[in-house]
Amino acid sequence: MTSNEFIKTFPVLSSSRDSLVKELLAASRVQDVPAGSRLYAEGDACAAIAFVLDGEIRVYKISESGREITLYEIGQGETCILNASCILSGTSYPANAVTLTPTRILLIPSTIFRKLMGEHEQLREFVFSLLSLRLSSVMELVEEVAFARMDQRLLDYLVEKSENDRLETTHQKIANDLGSSREVVSRLLKDFERKGQVKLGRNEITLLNRP
């Protein structure tokens, strides 16, 4: 991978000194990962951090009963803040991470990542900005789970509004109707789709397993 290709995917690092990108690329390797591949399981050591060049990764927790909850998803031009925290604190990975689509990642060894984090403010700003974004997302998720039961409200809404098990609408419209955010609705709908409850199309939702 060339420096220009990396900067195109991670433009936030474009103003960093050349030494950061050069050293980062010299020590890293590109890996293509098929959809459905587990990158981390809870308790794994973090030998490297993955910068996503293309594709999508789901980060989630599993309860003792086997119930899953999505913490957040990572896309192109991002990295996992739990992965970064694991490396910087010397702890094990506290969740699970699996690819949702064929994914290309840039793997940077943990020792190099720690070194570059200490030397380059631009890299620190990139990681901390993602940390702020993910914390807001997870706090919103906690509110859903602990107080709102948004998943049940959303299912009730789909049943009520659909005709012949089909509903033509947008995620933003549903969010507005339920007093939530588009990100929350989209995340829950994706979870429903993974469970086989709905099929998502462009501005269309089909109920597959009416509750």
Side-chain angles (χ1 to χ4, degrees):
M1 162 165 278
T2 67
S3 296
N4 288 338
E5 289 172 334
F6 179 81
I7 291 300
K8 185 177 180 181
T9 306
F10 293 89
V12 69
L13 299 177
S14 61
S15 60
S16 62
R17 300 200 305 270
D18 288 344
S19 59
L20 167 60
V21 176
K22 288 179 180 178
E23 189 171 355
L24 188 151
L25 293 179
S28 63
R29 62 185 176 89
V30 175
Q31 181 174 334
D32 290 304
V33 186
S37 300
R38 186 182 298 278
L39 297 178
Y40 281 109
E42 188 167 352
D44 284 352
C46 296
I49 188 168
F51 279 38
V52 181
L53 303 174
D54 191 30
E56 198 170 14
I57 298 170
R58 176 189 179 219
V59 179
Y60 63 100
K61 291 279 287 184
I62 306 176
S63 70
E64 291 184 359
S65 64
R67 182 182 177 187
E68 297 182 2
I69 185 168
T70 300
L71 299 178
Y72 54 83
E73 293 177 358
I74 311 163
Q76 184 183 57
E78 296 179 327
T79 190
C80 176
I81 56 101
L82 288 180
N83 194 176
S85 174
C86 165
I87 291 173
L88 296 175
S89 64
T91 57
S92 58
Y93 196 75
N96 302 274
V98 63
T99 54
L100 296 176
T101 64
T103 302
R104 172 166 286 193
I105 56 178
L106 186 74
L107 286 173
I108 305 163
S110 58
T111 53
I112 300 299
F113 178 70
R114 279 197 297 266
K115 175 178 179 294
L116 295 179
M117 279 285 289
E119 295 176 351
H120 297 275
E121 181 180 359
Q122 195 74 20
L123 183 59
R124 292 195 296 273
E125 289 179 353
F126 169 62
V127 172
F128 293 152
S129 66
L130 283 177
L131 175 61
S132 176
L133 178 67
R134 298 307 181 205
L135 279 177
S136 297
S137 175
V138 171
M139 287 299 293
E140 197 171 50
L141 178 62
V142 169
E143 184 176 345
E144 291 171 32
V145 174
F147 307 116
R149 287 303 312 223
M150 191 63 195
D151 54 347
Q152 188 59 53
R153 289 179 61 206
L154 179 55
L155 276 175
D156 292 343
Y157 176 94
L158 296 177
V159 171
E160 179 184 350
K161 299 292 185 181
S162 64
E163 294 184 8
N164 297 321
D165 291 335
R166 291 180 60 201
L167 175 62
E168 292 186 1
T169 187
T170 65
H171 295 189
Q172 186 62 62
K173 173 66 166 55
I174 296 174
N176 292 344
D177 288 348
L178 294 178
S180 184
S181 69
R182 182 186 59 78
E183 291 77 14
V184 168
V185 169
S186 296
R187 179 169 62 241
L188 288 173
L189 285 173
K190 286 182 180 179
D191 282 341
F192 291 169
E193 187 173 46
R194 276 190 287 269
K195 295 173 182 175
Q197 293 174 296
V198 303
K199 179 181 179 182
L200 302 180
R202 183 173 178 82
N203 295 336
E204 183 179 283
I205 302 169
T206 303
L207 286 170
L208 301 179
N209 185 14
R210 178 181 284 268

